[in-house]
Amino acid sequence: MRPRPVNAPTTTRRLAVVGSSGGNLYSHGGDDPVGLVGHIRRQAAAAGMEVTAVQLVAVDSSMDAARDDTPARLYSLVDGDVAVVVSGTLADVNKVAGERDADLARAVAAGEVDGLVLVSADPDGVNSAVVRAAVDAGLPAAGTGGTSIAAAQAKGLNLVAASGTTGSTSTTRAVSYVAGLARHWGTRYRPVLGTAEASDGGGSPWRRISLRGIMVGSLPAFIALALVLAVGKIPGLDALGPVFDALIAGLPVVVAAVAARRVSGLGEVGIVAGVVAGVLSAEGGIVGGLVGGILAGVVVAYLLRWTLAHRFPVTTANIVAGGISGLVGGLVVFLLLAPVTNAVGEGVKSAIEALVAFNPLLAGALAGLVMWPAIMGGVYHAAILPLVLLEMGEKGHSFFGAVDMVSLVMVSLGITLANVVRPRTSGERALAASGAAVNFGFGTFVEASYPFMFADRKVFAVALGSATLGGLVVGATGAEATAYLPAVVAPFVATDTVGMVLSMLVGCVVPFVSVLVINERARRSERARQAGPAREELPSGA
């Protein structure tokens, strides 16, 4: 067949993905064929392409160690989804794959495929027919897998993007495939990076910057810090002091890694860039790590596009993008911004301490009062939680963290417990019980009390009043702690265990008793309402 002209008119370029779970590829995403093809389909859609055929042979280990009797599966498209179509030994699966390869070769010859994507393929074996057909038709191809790519090139296949697998991820390989094909066809293409939830259609890393998402993603490290602080108070375990200091010093690295991964949308490459940036940004504190990670994430996204646009192999593109972007983001903070970002963190801590010192009762009451409106209005994760984590990053505990535990978690626990003991209807008991258990056992899921608060404005008023009172006690006792811990653990991470226990009891008991009274009155009113019509139906004089 005559080669097609490069700019042949078509609405959507049709791609066939062929290959295997690979040898080295297996540890770089080949163990998840469905996810691997999903990444390719996502990038292809961004360039006006469509994956119309899939033929992947997969085993549960590296192909380098596979034998004919190794269990294997053949993945293909079934009603638009990637699914297993054949299972058995590798020899049996390869036989079926060879038959399907012949069918795919005929589709190529018939003009039903516009380009190939080779993923650790076997041009001399089960993929030989389709590769031969692509050579005859002059189809462009993109692929990874050093040995297989060399074999395909030897057969005369027009490889517009080729590389080994080492150092790559499913995302960066997919970007490399589609970038090469788009460049060949002169098609506009901007990689779509990030998760489906976090990604914007245009793929701009700036639009993936989310303080809320970064802080929530970093939260486990801060909880680990709080736990070490609590355990270190046990007599005989004061040797954990250096561990606490090491964790404090390492928090900027964690924040930077989470920030870079989220902003870049490139998984492991973003994490590496963030770690490099975080190490260099550590002197700037939590804010320094945040800034360094965001800068690294932005740079890595653009640098990866640039390297692939200039025909860098995907392995080299990964190394260059991940390493240099981490250096850029980290050095900006290390050389220029560290004093500023460190001052910001210290300033937040000092401002909160000054507010509490000026009038601890008022500060605690106001902080408690705003907690429920903040979480219901979507402000909590964007404003309150970052304040908690900034405080913890400076000293390991937080005034707002204590208020969070008392005014949200314990108030929600009190409301749900009251509905366990004395619900208005039997169906509410099970709903309240699950919420109470999570609040007590894990220090989260305060939303469990929403159904009761929204159903009765008096319960909502109780929540606000109890939160205010609980915050006032926190301010009076001077307790600092954190939330997101079991209720029995929270007092032990607090600066004042007795004060924290007292604050938590107030936060829980007041709404518990109040909601019990509200529910009992509601039950009585309902019984009276139901008894009223019954009395009217009785005969006079009865």
Side-chain angles (χ1 to χ4, degrees):
M1 295 182 61
R2 291 171 55 192
R4 304 177 187 192
V6 170
N7 295 317
T10 184
T11 53
T12 301
R13 303 285 186 177
R14 298 155 298 183
L15 306 180
V17 178
V18 299
S20 71
S21 56
N24 188 34
L25 174 66
Y26 185 79
S27 59
H28 292 76
D31 58 339
D32 180 15
V34 175
L36 186 151
V37 177
H39 283 285
I40 298 172
R41 297 178 79 175
R42 188 177 179 208
Q43 299 303 325
M49 305 174 196
E50 179 185 5
V51 175
T52 57
V54 172
Q55 181 186 308
L56 285 176
V57 176
V59 297
D60 292 330
S61 63
S62 169
M63 282 287 186
D64 293 335
R67 300 177 303 182
D68 285 347
D69 59 351
T70 300
R73 302 171 302 281
L74 177 63
Y75 286 83
S76 187
L77 286 183
V78 179
D79 296 328
D81 296 323
V82 180
V84 176
V85 292
V86 177
S87 296
T89 65
L90 181 58
D92 293 337
V93 170
N94 278 341
K95 182 178 179 181
V96 176
E99 295 170 355
R100 288 176 172 257
D101 186 62
D103 295 336
L104 185 56
R106 285 189 285 272
V108 169
E112 298 172 5
V113 176
D114 300 304
L116 289 187
V117 174
L118 306 181
V119 184
S120 293
D122 183 7
D124 295 317
V126 295
N127 304 123
S128 59
V130 73
V131 169
R132 230 177 6 252
V135 171
D136 293 339
L139 261 60
T144 51
T147 303
S148 63
I149 291 301
Q153 286 177 317
K155 292 180 179 297
L157 187 63
N158 179 22
L159 279 155
V160 296
S163 174
T165 302
T166 302
S168 65
T169 67
S170 292
T171 299
T172 56
R173 283 193 303 274
V175 171
S176 174
Y177 301 148
V178 176
L181 291 167
R183 184 172 58 244
H184 172 79
W185 284 317
T187 304
R188 175 180 171 80
Y189 166 57
R190 290 192 64 186
V192 179
L193 304 176
T195 63
E197 295 80 9
S199 173
D200 63 283
S204 171
W206 296 104
R207 296 179 61 182
R208 288 193 293 274
I209 298 174
S210 167
L211 183 62
R212 167 180 175 171
I214 294 168
M215 287 305 189
V216 170
S218 306
L219 183 60
F222 289 86
I223 298 303
L225 176 73
L227 291 174
V228 169
L229 180 63
V231 174
K233 294 181 179 179
I234 299 175
L237 294 180
D238 51 349
L240 287 176
V243 176
F244 176 81
D245 294 337
L247 284 173
I248 282 280
L251 286 179
V253 181
V254 175
V255 173
V258 173
R261 182 186 187 280
R262 180 180 181 85
V263 173
S264 71
L266 287 170
E268 293 91 333
V269 180
I271 292 174
V272 171
V275 169
V276 173
V279 170
L280 293 172
S281 303
E283 292 299 319
I286 299 297
V287 179
L290 179 66
V291 173
I294 289 174
L295 290 175
V298 170
V299 174
V300 74
Y302 286 116
L303 196 54
L304 183 70
R305 294 176 190 170
W306 183 86
T307 52
L308 292 177
H310 287 77
R311 300 177 182 271
F312 281 54
V314 66
T315 296
T316 306
N318 267 23
I319 294 171
V320 170
I324 292 180
S325 59
L327 286 173
V328 170
L331 287 174
V332 168
V333 177
F334 184 84
L335 298 175
L336 299 176
L337 300 181
V340 176
T341 57
N342 192 50
V344 170
E346 288 284 350
V348 170
K349 181 189 75 169
S350 300
I352 294 173
E353 290 175 345
L355 178 64
V356 175
F358 174 73
N359 192 325
L361 298 180
L362 179 61
L366 287 177
L369 177 62
V370 303
M371 282 292 174
W372 283 105
I375 197 167
M376 290 178 176
V379 178
Y380 171 85
H381 291 94
I384 304 298
L385 182 59
L387 287 177
V388 172
L389 299 186
L390 280 172
E391 279 191 277
M392 291 186 66
E394 294 291 334
K395 51 189 177 181
H397 41 73
S398 165
F399 165 72
F400 276 101
V403 176
D404 185 329
M405 172 59 78
V406 171
S407 298
L408 288 179
V409 178
M410 299 313 296
V411 169
S412 179
L413 177 61
I415 292 173
T416 51
L417 278 178
N419 283 281
V420 171
V421 175
R422 198 66 171 167
R424 298 188 186 188
T425 64
S426 58
E428 292 181 344
R429 176 173 279 118
L431 176 65
S434 62
V438 176
N439 274 288
F440 181 80
F442 301 96
T444 185
F445 194 36
V446 301
E447 296 86 352
S449 57
Y450 279 4
F452 311 106
M453 295 167 65
F454 294 154
D456 191 329
R457 285 180 293 181
K458 293 190 289 293
V459 176
F460 183 73
V462 164
L464 291 179
S466 303
T468 303
L469 183 59
L472 185 147
V473 179
V474 170
T477 60
E480 294 187 352
T482 185
Y484 299 96
L485 289 172
V488 295
V489 175
F492 298 100
V493 305
T495 54
D496 184 340
T497 300
V498 175
M500 191 64 185
V501 170
L502 178 61
S503 302
M504 292 171 67
L505 286 174
V506 170
C508 181
V509 172
V510 171
F512 174 75
V513 174
S514 302
V515 174
L516 277 181
V517 173
I518 292 171
N519 284 358
E520 182 58 31
R521 288 181 176 176
R523 288 165 64 97
R524 289 180 181 177
S525 298
E526 181 63 19
R527 287 196 296 267
R529 187 186 66 80
Q530 293 177 355
R535 291 196 194 97
E536 294 175 2
E537 293 173 2
L538 291 175
S540 59

